[in-house]
Amino acid sequence: MTVRRLLIALVALLVLAACGTAAQPIASSPPIVSPPPSSPSPAASPSPTPTVRPSRSPSVSPSASPSRKPAKRWVPAPGITWQWQLTTPLDLSVDAAVYDIDGFLNSAAVVADLHRRGRKAVCYVEVGAAEDFRPDYRDWPRELLGRANGWPGERWLDIRDPAKLEPVLAKRFDMCAAKGFDAVEPDLMDGYEADTGFPLTAAHQLRFNRFVARLAHERGLSVALKNDVDQAAELVGDFDFTVNEECAAFDECQALKPFIQAGKAVLHAEYDLAPAEYCAESRRLRLSSLHKNRELDAAATRC
């Protein structure tokens, strides 16, 4: 009996030992435990995935949205009628679709009056010279003032670095926009052909003129190429129309055909030639031609 009891006890101990050994791995096996929250899987992290940054996608950028196109700029058509008066007070009785007037001397109320009469208003400002009678004259950097340009109180500007001129020009164009003008006539855009006191080249002029056009367009203003006939073909894509003085007197009107062919007006003035000497050619080329005096007051004779 003693031996049998010993054998039974021994078997029981062996069974218990076997059961305890088999249960231990199940209770402590790490592969079945979920990863701790502080150690996320790389696939679940949004930061390195480009597709979760909609702000950089052109399709969701407001500025690139096709539904938010900028307003179409006014482009005067060939043959449109115009009046050019840089004196004040402005004579509003002239029957013309476009009035080109001094941007400093005319108020927003004058521009609004023109609009009420169904006319467009062009803001005349100089960009290639500094005028000592303008309120912003002292804002021009002194080192950019060149030689006198032949008009009282005016000096050519060094246009080789347009960024140096931008603070003053931007404010002038802001003024035009704030007064409600439709377009800008930036004068003296052909200084490279004059004795300015600076070594200006045709390349400098092209760069500067395109810079001026961009400043105007950024403010929603149409912009005229003033004279610079020799570069008209290169600049027709940058400007909305052109204002020209004396292309008939200098036999240059043919060079302005790229504007007409592009559906853009050539606003043309002659001083010394009689209308009978150029009007037939102007009509053939579809120029908007006026005979003016050099004071650019209200007097005008249209072809």
Side-chain angles (χ1 to χ4, degrees):
M1 290 294 293
T2 304
V3 173
R4 288 182 63 188
R5 288 178 178 174
L6 288 172
L7 288 173
I8 291 169
L10 181 60
V11 169
L13 288 171
L14 290 172
V15 171
L16 289 170
C19 290
T21 304
Q24 186 175 358
I26 296 174
S28 61
S29 175
I32 299 177
V33 179
S34 298
S38 59
S39 302
S41 168
S45 174
S47 56
T49 308
T51 56
V52 300
R53 296 188 178 183
S55 61
R56 294 193 180 186
S57 170
S59 61
V60 298
S61 172
S63 61
S65 173
S67 63
R68 297 184 63 178
K69 293 180 181 178
K72 188 176 181 180
R73 288 192 305 273
W74 170 61
V75 178
I80 195 169
T81 58
W82 76 303
Q83 164 67 329
W84 195 15
Q85 182 183 341
L86 300 186
T87 61
T88 56
L90 187 64
D91 182 353
L92 294 167
S93 69
V94 178
D95 183 16
V98 179
Y99 268 63
D100 190 340
I101 61 178
D102 190 292
F104 282 97
L105 301 181
N106 290 282
S107 66
V110 171
V111 176
D113 196 350
L114 287 170
H115 287 160
R116 281 193 295 270
R117 297 166 187 256
R119 294 159 178 167
K120 295 291 187 180
V122 178
C123 183
Y124 172 92
V125 291
E126 290 197 2
V127 298
E131 309 139 288
D132 65 7
F133 49 87
R134 297 299 192 186
D136 59 358
Y137 177 71
R138 295 187 181 278
D139 295 337
W140 296 110
R142 299 296 97 184
E143 69 274 13
L144 301 184
L145 299 179
R147 293 177 179 156
N149 69 359
W151 291 93
E154 298 189 17
R155 295 170 64 180
W156 289 106
L157 289 166
D158 185 354
I159 63 166
R160 289 175 294 174
D161 186 355
K164 293 180 179 179
L165 301 170
E166 183 170 1
V168 179
L169 295 181
K171 287 180 181 179
R172 288 188 168 198
F173 288 8
D174 286 342
M175 173 191 69
C176 295
K179 289 182 177 182
F181 281 95
D182 303 287
V184 178
E185 182 207 333
D187 200 8
L188 298 173
M189 304 185 76
D190 51 4
Y192 77 106
E193 296 180 321
D195 183 14
T196 63
F198 305 109
L200 304 184
T201 66
H204 291 138
Q205 195 70 60
L206 279 174
R207 182 185 177 207
F208 175 72
N209 289 358
R210 288 181 172 130
F211 163 80
V212 168
R214 177 180 61 80
L215 282 184
H217 288 159
E218 286 175 350
R219 288 152 178 80
L221 296 164
S222 301
V223 60
L225 175 66
K226 179 63 177 292
N227 294 325
D228 197 15
V229 175
D230 291 341
Q231 296 183 328
E234 295 174 88
L235 292 169
V236 63
D238 300 280
F239 290 83
D240 305 296
F241 59 106
T242 183
V243 175
N244 173 266
E245 296 170 287
E246 301 188 283
C247 71
F250 293 103
D251 195 22
E252 295 175 332
C253 295
Q254 289 284 342
L256 299 173
K257 286 178 66 177
F259 275 87
I260 299 297
Q261 292 166 347
K264 300 176 179 182
V266 175
L267 307 185
H268 162 234
E270 292 289 333
Y271 303 118
D272 299 327
L273 295 182
E277 298 179 77
Y278 60 85
C279 279
E281 180 74 352
S282 289
R283 285 190 287 267
R284 187 183 70 80
L285 294 174
R286 293 193 296 154
L287 309 184
S288 301
S289 297
L290 292 177
H291 184 269
K292 297 287 296 184
N293 57 49
R294 293 187 184 274
E295 288 71 33
L296 293 175
D297 57 22
T301 303
R302 186 182 305 156
C303 284

